[in-house]
Amino acid sequence: MEKMNCPPDFRCPISMEIMKDPVTIVTGVSYERKNIEKWFFVYNKKTCPTTMQCIESFDMTPNHTLKRLILAWKETLLAPPSTSSSMPQPLIKHDEMVSLFTALESSPFKVSSMKKIRAIVELGDETKSDFIRSGGVEAVVGMLINQFDNSDFVSFQACEEALGILHLLPLSKQDEKSFQLISKSDPMRSIAIILQRGSAEARFYAVTIFRKIAKTGFNWNPLLEDQGSDLFKSLLELVYDGICNKASSYALEILFEILSSSKKSRLKAIEAGAICILIELLPDSNRSKSEKMLLLIKLLCESPEGRMAMVDHSLGIPVISKALLQVSNLATKLGVKILWQVCNFHPTERVLEEMLMYGAVKKMVTLLHLEGRLSSTKKKVLEMLKMHYNSWRRHQCFPCDLKDYLGVK
């Protein structure tokens, strides 16, 4: 409840979490200290995440006023409810919202109008429903498309504000009209470009919208044909930055929906560097992200190009080997499938030696005792051990007593 009713200015534009130690940078925007420090000094960014302005000074000034306001707001949440029967409630008239819609096209203050609309929509489910019934989706999507053709900064900012409204909506197939309006080619193209070039906050809005649309079985092929590998690059950048955990997780979910529904899309993801990025991030990821990354690597390794990228990466076999029996049962099963694909199609001497050297073979032998009799994972392990027994048995660390168990000569 606290996060749902939080004033937008109390959230860090990078993580979207309520700030505890807000600091202001030279552009006048406030951020959570640890997030903006990571942006500048870990990821070596030289722009303001919100405005995307290039900056030369990385000075940070503690925003004591904002901090006091946040603390005061939190105290009001903890205060006991008033016994007064006339508690003031925000009374937003239907006519006010409609007038804002009609003013969007002609008003020179589009950013301000969009912020007012968003403030109304954020009040709760009732105002969201009223927004949809009153033609708000049509008005905001229309503004998003029309303004995107302009190249000035204010127009682009207005488009970012539009996403700030649209990301609050359910966007499910139950709300068919809103879904159809947003999932058309022009709005989707605009959202994809904001995902590539927008501020940190706007990129979060974009990935949230894409995640909701991805859950509906959306056909991504037209957008991929228009954007090429740029869509994958922007999603992978969100995964790689890791500044906002929620945005990173959403990006992984979108990648899975796209790659699992279209084999053609996998080549574009590989060209965008998906295998390389996922392998490098895997060792330091938590359980949930590790499983999602392994699932993506498994999908990509179903193609020759994916397997080649996997074995060509110096960390490919070591990272997958390390994940076995360490992260979770699902991660182990996915890791075995990846190694099985590699062993079937790219069993080079270097690959087989690395599997032995980095513990994959030893862990597979352990899996023979842990897995059930008819499990698909155990079957794949047996196939690999039989297939490459002659290569591995020459090494002292390989258990030669497996010969009879495997039924090899």
Side-chain angles (χ1 to χ4, degrees), residues 34-46:
K34 66 178 182 180
N35 294 334
I36 194 64
E37 285 180 346
K38 192 173 184 180
W39 176 268
F40 287 147
F41 306 125
V42 176
Y43 297 105
N44 297 318
K45 302 287 188 178
K46 297 182 179 179

Side-chain angles (χ1 to χ4, degrees), residues 47-308:
T47 57
C48 170
T50 299
T51 66
M52 299 309 291
Q53 292 174 264
C54 292
I55 56 177
E56 296 181 0
S57 172
F58 303 108
D59 292 341
M60 303 174 199
T61 305
N63 193 332
H64 298 300
T65 302
L66 180 57
K67 186 174 183 178
R68 284 195 295 270
L69 289 171
I70 294 172
L71 291 173
W73 171 73
K74 286 185 174 181
E75 287 176 3
T76 62
L77 295 179
L78 297 174
S82 172
T83 57
S84 171
S85 60
S86 59
M87 179 180 287
Q89 294 290 336
L91 300 175
I92 305 299
K93 294 181 180 179
H94 168 81
D95 293 344
E96 181 182 352
M97 191 153 56
V98 173
S99 66
L100 286 166
F101 298 159
T102 55
L104 275 178
E105 188 172 348
S106 58
S107 173
F109 307 110
K110 290 181 173 57
V111 174
S112 177
S113 297
M114 299 296 281
K115 287 183 176 180
K116 290 178 182 178
I117 294 171
R118 178 178 172 182
I120 296 173
V121 175
E122 284 181 330
L123 289 174
D125 292 339
E126 189 175 338
T127 53
K128 285 180 187 176
S129 299
D130 189 28
F131 170 81
I132 295 170
R133 285 194 306 268
S134 304
V137 179
E138 291 94 326
V140 172
V141 170
M143 199 281 314
L144 173 66
I145 297 170
N146 294 333
Q147 288 298 302
F148 215 85
D149 294 333
N150 299 328
S151 58
D152 59 286
F153 174 74
V154 175
S155 296
F156 194 82
Q157 192 178 8
C159 293
E160 292 185 332
E161 289 294 336
L163 297 198
I165 296 170
L166 297 176
H167 96 286
L168 298 169
L169 307 180
L171 301 185
S172 63
K173 283 198 171 180
Q174 283 70 34
D175 181 17
E176 190 173 348
K177 187 177 181 182
S178 298
F179 170 78
Q180 288 180 349
L181 284 167
I182 297 172
S183 61
K184 288 181 179 178
S185 58
D186 286 341
M188 290 293 283
R189 177 179 174 273
S190 301
I191 297 168
I193 293 174
I194 290 176
L195 184 65
Q196 297 166 28
R197 298 185 301 195
S199 65
E201 192 173 12
R203 292 169 72 203
F204 176 77
Y205 300 150
V207 79
T208 301
I209 294 170
F210 274 169
R211 176 178 178 256
K212 291 178 180 179
I213 289 175
K215 299 288 184 184
T216 64
F218 177 74
N219 179 14
W220 293 91
N221 289 330
L223 185 63
L224 288 171
E225 289 175 8
D226 179 67
Q227 297 295 307
S229 60
D230 287 341
L231 177 62
F232 288 112
K233 288 178 181 177
S234 56
L235 289 168
L236 289 166
E237 186 177 351
L238 278 178
V239 175
Y240 188 79
D241 281 349
I243 295 176
C244 177
N245 287 328
K246 190 176 287 187
S248 177
S249 181
Y250 286 178
L252 288 171
E253 292 178 29
I254 296 167
L255 285 167
F256 171 73
E257 294 292 342
I258 296 175
L259 298 178
S260 61
S261 63
S262 169
K263 290 185 177 180
K264 291 182 179 179
S265 65
R266 298 176 192 178
L267 182 57
K268 292 180 180 178
I270 294 164
E271 290 173 353
I275 290 283
C276 179
I277 289 172
L278 294 171
I279 286 173
E280 291 177 5
L281 292 178
L282 187 58
D284 298 321
S285 299
N286 60 28
R287 173 178 170 172
S288 176
K289 281 191 177 180
S290 293
E291 291 173 348
K292 291 174 183 177
M293 290 178 183
L294 286 166
L295 189 56
L296 290 173
I297 294 172
K298 194 269 293 184
L299 285 173
L300 294 172
C301 283
E302 290 175 1
S303 68
E305 294 83 2
R307 292 189 292 270
M308 187 62 68

Side-chain angles (χ1 to χ4, degrees), residues 310-311 313 315-322 339 342 351 354-355:
M310 167 73 189
V311 299
H313 198 295
L315 293 177
I317 299 299
V319 164
I320 302 301
S321 301
K322 184 179 179 182
L339 293 175
V342 170
V351 167
E354 286 186 351
M355 287 181 65

